[in-house]
Amino acid sequence: MKLVSTRTPTLSATFQEAVQAGLAPDGGLFVPVTPPHFDDVPDLLRADFASRSVEILYRLLGDELSRSVVEDLTRSAFTFPAPLVRVDGRISALELFHGPTLAFKDFGARFLARVLALGAGGQPRTVLTATSGDTGAAVASAFHGLPGVQVVVLYPAGRVSPMQERQFATCGGNVLALAVEGAFDDCQRLVKGAFEDVELVARLGLTSANSINIARLLAQTLYYFEAAAQAEPGQPLVVSVPSGNFGNLTAGLWAQRMGAPIQAFVAATNANRVVPDYLDSGTYQPRPSVATLSNAMDVGSPSNWERIFALFRGDHGAMAAALRWGSCTDAETEQVVIDLDRTGYLADPHGAVAYQVLRSNLREGEQGIFLATAHPAKFRESLAPALGREIPLPKALRDLEALPLLNESLAVDQAALRRRLL
């Protein structure tokens, strides 16, 4: 698998080079030149998740990593299930929140941590990441306590749920949580600015654990095959992806190119409608993000849209033909959570957005799957008043309540971040 920058197609890298760098030297994102297509997908789908994942990753990375290394990486990273749960007659939820931090980011972060450890060569590393909610928790969990690794998490102060904040801002040790006095887009710009600082990158061994890192996205392709493996045979499959920074949808489109039998993807957003507006109009206009109930999707300038743009070679018509899309207001999100709860299924706000937009895009004879990306208990402060009842906390979250926050405030200032990192 040959990787190149989205901005300079002649700028190539091996997988391990791309993982260690995070961002391409020209500021672009690494993408496969052509995602390989597998001709034996029916056989792959008959395998269990772990065995199938080993096989797919070895086919992608076997020119750099031995099968035994790929097997060790994969089986140690993916130790939890991704069950498909029926929600109504034609729609099911692929629950991706059964990992240690109760969010889908565990798939990518745990795999990334293991790949980074392979290529570090004993050199100290600083993992710098921005989070709109769940990435910070998954990255902190995956790297916490690893020798030679410092983790720095930037997040928008007051714009993640209290439980999400506790998951990464109570770790201490080698995990530093910086509460940025701005929005997620400000955090993302600060991270990108740090990676453009050549001296800083060299001195700290700086790398990224955001979805700009190719290892995160390759790991996320795997559960799209798992969705297809558990789906009803014989019915066209449509998958709805709650979308903020658009890494998850990028991984799904790569999986589709590899042969995952998914007929269509639905790009589901909240009030941050940059991509739906682009698909409607053909004009791409990033804008400041607005705060919503589904906070992990509050992104006004999604980084990974650059990868999707590259995948379709900038052809708006091809993108509009390949995707379905829509958005959901907070009022609609809250009502969907209430309605689903009455049927016996408790959804988090992001899953509720994906369900609602899927329902309006599903056609006759199709089956739908939406990605349930986080445990609803992580959002109990916003969901409990709407539901009129308390939401029980899993033990992993209960244990965090008594821990003190160990965060620091940071202005939206590149020089201030540089000083703190040094």
Side-chain angles (χ1 to χ4, degrees), residues 256-341:
Q256 187 183 50
R257 295 286 178 99
M258 292 177 201
I262 297 171
Q263 175 161 292
F265 282 98
V266 178
T269 73
N270 55 28
N272 294 280
R273 285 185 44 91
V274 171
V275 168
D277 287 346
Y278 166 71
L279 293 170
D280 282 335
S281 68
T283 301
Y284 188 69
Q285 293 183 317
R287 65 201 69 150
S289 60
V290 297
T292 73
L293 288 174
S294 46
N295 62 277
M297 297 154 61
D298 293 348
V299 183
S301 182
S303 288
N304 280 290
W305 189 251
E306 186 170 331
R307 280 185 164 124
I308 295 176
F309 196 82
L311 184 66
F312 288 94
R313 303 184 187 280
D315 187 336
H316 171 265
M319 283 181 259
L323 296 170
R324 304 175 195 178
W325 61 89
S327 63
C328 195
T329 67
D330 271 1
E332 291 169 331
T333 302
E334 189 173 277
Q335 190 59 53
V336 168
V337 171
I338 293 169
D339 292 344
L340 287 177
D341 187 56

Side-chain angles (χ1 to χ4, degrees), residues 370-396:
F370 68 92
L371 302 190
T373 52
H375 195 292
K378 298 177 81 167
F379 307 93
R380 62 176 183 156
E381 290 85 1
S382 59
L383 296 184
L387 295 173
R389 64 177 178 83
E390 287 299 314
I391 298 173
L393 283 179
K395 185 179 185 304

Side-chain angles (χ1 to χ4, degrees), residues 74-280:
T74 305
R75 292 191 182 274
S76 64
F78 310 135
T79 57
F80 43 90
L84 191 65
V85 178
R86 181 65 60 89
V87 173
D88 63 29
R90 292 201 296 155
I91 297 178
S92 301
L94 185 69
E95 292 189 343
L96 301 175
F97 53 75
H98 294 279
T101 71
L102 308 180
F104 81 100
K105 304 290 179 74
D106 284 323
F107 286 91
R110 286 168 63 83
F111 181 68
L112 170 61
R114 286 154 176 79
V115 175
L116 276 174
L118 276 182
Q123 297 300 311
R125 308 287 297 182
T126 297
V127 177
L128 178 64
T129 193
T131 185
S132 56
D134 290 323
T135 290
V139 170
S141 171
F143 289 92
H144 188 219
L146 288 183
V149 179
Q150 174 75 32
V151 179
V152 182
V153 178
L154 276 64
Y155 68 102
R159 297 181 70 165
V160 304
S161 80
M163 194 54 69
Q164 286 175 315
E165 183 178 36
R166 288 198 161 276
Q167 285 191 296
F168 56 78
T170 59
C171 295
N174 66 327
V175 177
L176 171 63
L178 297 178
V180 175
E181 298 163 4
F184 171 72
D185 296 305
D186 297 312
C187 301
Q188 193 160 247
R189 278 192 294 272
L190 288 172
V191 167
K192 287 188 173 181
F195 279 100
E196 291 166 1
D197 185 330
V198 176
E199 181 192 0
L200 195 65
V201 170
R203 286 180 64 178
L204 299 180
L206 209 59
T207 192
S208 173
N210 273 96
S211 56
I212 62 175
N213 197 301
I214 188 72
R216 282 264 311 264
L217 297 197
L218 287 190
Q220 289 172 222
T221 64
L222 303 172
Y223 50 66
Y224 288 99
F225 286 92
E226 179 67 5
Q230 295 185 53
E232 293 289 334
Q235 294 180 323
L237 179 59
V238 177
V239 177
S240 181
V241 184
S243 300
N245 218 20
F246 280 82
N248 218 352
L249 181 60
T250 301
L253 290 167
W254 287 353
Q256 187 183 50
R257 295 286 178 99
M258 292 177 201
I262 297 171
Q263 175 161 292
F265 282 98
V266 178
T269 73
N270 55 28
N272 294 280
R273 285 185 44 91
V274 171
V275 168
D277 287 346
Y278 166 71
L279 293 170
D280 282 335

